[in-house]
Amino acid sequence: MEINYDLIDTTGPAPEKEPLRQQYYILKCREILREKEKKLGRKLTFFDQTFGCQMNFKDSEKLNGILEEIGYVKAESEAADFVYYNTCTVRENANVRVYGRLGTLKTFKKKNPEMIIAMCGCMMQEPEEEEKVRKTFKFVDIVFGTHNIFKLAELLYECLSSKQRVFDVWEKTDQIIEDLPSDRKFGFKAGVNIMFGCNNFCSYCIVPYVRGRERSRKPEDIVAEVEKLAKEGVVEIMLLGQNVNSYGKTLDQPVSFAQLLTMVEKVEGIERIRFMTSHPKDLSDELIKVMAGSTKICRHLHLPVQSGSSRILKKMNRKYTKEQYLSLVEKLRDSVPDIAITTDIIVGFPGETEEDFQETLDVVRKAQYDSAFTFIYSKRSGTKAAEMPDQIPDEVVHERFDRLLKVVNEVATEQNKKLEGRVETVLAEEIDEKDSSMITGRLSNNSVVHFKADPSVIGKIVPVKLEEAKGFYYLGRMCENG
Ligand code: 5AD
Ligand code: SF4
């Protein structure tokens, strides 16, 4: 996957084929950057501000990889020569936060007139948001969407050479461009896209509109990337997709997600495999069997329930009932010992009654979640739910939200005692933010553990005795042989 730039002739026109075309533009941008470096007597810098989910963070690693290939150096703050915001639009408050911060960039640009500001990500896929940036935020130079992040070098070249604003948002795509650079945040763990987009159309969700239809990467491309990562020292991978359980259905030669996991498991050097996100309607017995028989697949499943009421689930277009969900949880707990199950819950979906809400509390208690992300329903224009009657008043939603949080915390605290006293393997991830003599790591079940150790253990999987459960984390002691 190494790029051989010697084979690219930048004196001629740009090649049509990808990724060659982008490699050509990387070189063209490099030439411009070299000139600027000479003039300024220093390297040029970049900074990214990423909002949203793992997909977006993964996209930013790719964008950063391209910027580094061009010659930009990562800066610690927004006082940089190239700043981009990778946005999220899943809930209204995500948008509000982005515009709030964007204003501050203007002051940086006043001090550094050559600064380039770009906006990308899910929010930019919404025509009204793109328009707002075009009209209201005139200091934004480049705007692109979720489908063409691979084109950053080309867009940047256009902007640098023409000194004009560049807007390029695609409505959809069926392309998957392989073999572009990527800058990973951690040396020992990495996310790997296995699919893009989503076909589910849950009635509250904007994702299918901003990330497009489901497209799976070929298994051989995924395995090749995992092999490369393993060679670079990665021990834990996270397979990423909006709905990993429907992986491979649209490939010319269909492959199931369980089959993909079996292939990825064979890669030497990879010790832990995680994946995200699973839709309950597509979680197969085959997958449960593969998880149960695996020593590498982590004992954790994120299984968003969204609501405990079958009536609301139907309106959400989730395609399962409360009973089906709970029996799936039971099957998982029976088959995969010590599995941690986490979830997403929305409170205040249109038409949600107190009885519906009670069903949600009941599911939290019965499913015994290890943790749950709880969200207040946010109306997203363009979705089916935005048109539904009986939007719930704010004060009712907030009151339910507080009650839900209490039950989630009670259940999670109980669950987090389960492994107390045991010795478990922990991937040491970083120096503890609060106490620099401690290391923070994660168990296979995704629980956080803090333990005393030398920073040299970071990136290694070590045995730790879980001495005390503290609600949402453990305090542990690293074992002698670790
Ligand atoms: N309002 C509130 N929460 C939402 N989510 C998705 N769309 C909305 C919305 N309109 C939540 C779901 C999803 C998570 C990523 O965000 O719980 O699983
Ligand atoms: Fe936000 Fe959804 Fe886009 Fe992720 S895919 S960044 S959650 S809108």
Side-chain angles (χ1 to χ4, degrees):
M1 272 196 232
E2 286 303 306
I3 303 168
N4 189 348
Y5 289 106
D6 295 339
L7 299 177
I8 301 167
D9 172 15
T10 54
T11 57
E16 288 296 321
K17 262 180 84 133
E18 299 294 2
L20 262 185
R21 184 176 174 86
Q22 296 314 312
Q23 292 164 3
Y24 167 94
Y25 280 112
I26 286 174
L27 287 183
K28 294 295 265 188
C29 287
R30 250 191 217 176
E31 288 165 6
I32 298 182
L33 236 67
R34 288 221 176 102
E35 287 303 311
K36 284 186 185 283
E37 283 170 9
K38 261 195 233 145
K39 215 171 81 191
L40 295 166
R42 62 166 175 87
K43 286 271 187 198
L44 275 83
T45 57
F46 78 94
F47 184 75
D48 77 281
Q49 186 71 53
T50 302
F51 302 84
C53 66
Q54 308 254 9
M55 291 280 180
N56 255 24
F57 281 88
K58 177 73 198 176
D59 284 350
S60 290
E61 289 189 356
K62 293 179 187 171
L63 294 167
N64 292 354
I66 295 171
L67 291 168
E68 281 169 4
E69 281 292 311
I70 289 172
Y72 284 98
V73 190
K74 200 169 166 74
E76 291 303 315
S77 81
E78 281 150 316
D81 300 296
F82 182 93
V83 175
Y84 73 88
Y85 278 10
N86 192 356
T87 61
C88 169
T89 187
V90 75
R91 286 169 293 275
E92 175 90 47
N93 55 5
N95 296 34
V96 174
R97 277 174 57 204
V98 166
Y99 288 129
R101 288 197 69 131
L102 193 57
T104 61
L105 282 187
K106 206 173 171 179
T107 40
F108 288 111
K109 196 158 179 165
K110 277 210 180 106
K111 282 186 207 143
N112 177 8
E114 292 221 33
M115 176 179 181
I116 292 178
I117 298 173
M119 299 271 286
C120 61
C122 296
M123 229 169 104
M124 294 304 105
Q125 288 295 139
E126 294 181 273
E128 54 278 27
E129 303 297 340
E130 185 194 345
E131 210 38 41
K132 184 166 174 176
V133 173
R134 197 191 291 272
K135 293 224 175 86
T136 320
F137 297 95
K138 295 233 162 66
F139 56 92
V140 174
D141 305 284
I142 303 176
V143 170
F144 55 104
T146 57
H147 300 305
N148 57 347
I149 58 160
F150 71 90
K151 257 186 90 175
L152 174 62
E154 183 171 346
L155 302 176
L156 182 59
Y157 178 73
E158 226 176 293
C159 178
L160 287 170
S161 57
S162 72
K163 302 219 179 336
Q164 305 245 326
R165 298 176 87 191
V166 178
F167 281 66
D168 190 15
V169 179
W170 298 1
E171 207 182 309
K172 58 180 185 192
T173 187
D174 50 15
Q175 290 189 67
I176 296 178
I177 311 294
E178 300 285 346
D179 295 347
L180 278 165
S182 183
D183 163 48
R184 290 189 286 104
K185 189 161 175 236
F186 297 98
F188 54 87
K189 66 172 186 178
V192 176
N193 293 113
I194 63 166
M195 61 202 299
F196 303 93
C198 180
N199 285 353
N200 287 331
F201 289 96
C202 300
S203 63
Y204 50 82
C205 188
I206 201 158
V207 171
Y209 304 94
V210 294
R211 290 252 169 203
R213 292 294 66 71
E214 204 170 282
R215 304 166 310 278
S216 294
R217 281 177 78 193
K218 289 192 202 119
E220 55 272 27
D221 289 337
I222 296 168
V223 170
E225 181 175 341
V226 175
E227 281 169 347
K228 179 170 176 271
L229 291 168
K231 282 204 191 93
E232 290 169 8
V234 167
V235 291
E236 179 178 298
I237 53 159
M238 165 84 92
L239 304 178
L240 295 171
Q242 299 293 351
N243 178 13
V244 292
N245 300 111
S246 72
Y247 168 79
K249 288 184 182 158
T250 52
L251 286 170
D252 292 340
Q253 288 166 313
V255 176
S256 71
F257 180 54
Q259 285 168 325
L260 176 72
L261 277 173
T262 312
M263 291 180 215
V264 168
E265 253 211 308
K266 294 200 183 105
V267 177
E268 223 173 287
I270 297 298
E271 296 185 51
R272 282 182 169 186
I273 303 169
R274 300 187 185 277
F275 52 85
M276 184 120 152
T277 292
S278 290
H279 192 306
K281 82 175 161 68
D282 297 312
L283 199 137
S284 65
D285 288 347
E286 186 197 9
L287 174 65
I288 299 178
K289 206 167 140 209
V290 169
M291 279 185 91
S294 168
T295 52
K296 291 188 178 180
I297 301 172
C298 288
R299 294 315 193 222
H300 172 219
L301 193 72
H302 186 64
L303 197 63
V305 66
Q306 311 299 1
S307 167
S309 154
S310 297
R311 197 181 73 85
I312 295 291
L313 286 168
K314 192 150 198 286
K315 293 221 265 173
M316 288 177 160
N317 194 29
R318 292 290 289 175
K319 302 202 171 76
Y320 54 83
T321 62
K322 176 189 181 189
E323 290 69 32
Q324 284 165 334
Y325 182 90
L326 284 175
S327 69
L328 184 58
V329 167
E330 200 177 308
K331 203 158 35 168
L332 280 160
R333 293 217 186 276
D334 286 346
S335 315
V336 189
D338 295 329
I339 190 167
I341 300 178
T342 58
T343 202
D344 292 345
I345 302 170
I346 297 175
V347 184
F349 184 83
E352 184 189 74
T353 62
E354 178 60 28
E355 289 71 44
D356 294 318
F357 177 65
Q358 288 296 332
E359 300 272 13
T360 299
L361 294 182
D362 189 46
V363 167
V364 173
R365 292 195 183 100
K366 291 205 169 111
Q368 293 281 301
Y369 292 117
D370 288 73
S371 76
F373 295 102
T374 50
F375 304 107
I376 284 177
Y377 168 73
S378 171
K379 187 172 166 178
R380 309 312 288 130
S381 58
T383 63
K384 281 243 166 69
E387 309 300 321
M388 290 182 187
D390 301 328
Q391 306 274 334
I392 312 292
D394 278 359
E395 59 280 10
V396 176
V397 182
H398 280 101
E399 191 270 333
R400 283 182 196 160
F401 185 82
D402 292 344
R403 273 191 284 155
L404 173 66
L405 216 58
K406 234 174 121 205
V407 177
V408 164
N409 287 343
E410 274 164 27
V411 169
T413 310
E414 208 39 52
Q415 279 301 101
N416 281 290
K417 284 191 190 134
K418 264 189 325 195
L419 302 179
E420 201 175 42
R422 289 204 348 209
V423 174
E424 293 283 325
T425 52
V426 173
L427 171 58
E429 297 198 341
E430 57 198 351
I431 295 173
D432 187 344
E433 275 176 16
K434 295 209 181 99
D435 177 351
S436 61
S437 69
M438 308 272 279
I439 294 294
T440 300
R442 272 178 201 273
L443 297 176
S444 167
N445 80 359
N446 212 32
S447 289
V448 169
V449 187
H450 303 289
F451 58 101
K452 267 214 169 5
D454 189 82
S456 61
V457 299
I458 290 174
K460 293 196 183 116
I461 295 180
V462 292
V464 173
K465 171 121 193 250
L466 306 175
E467 295 191 315
E468 199 184 344
K470 291 287 225 182
F472 287 102
Y473 61 91
Y474 289 97
L475 284 180
R477 186 168 46 80
M478 195 165 90
C479 301
E480 290 301 302
N481 54 347

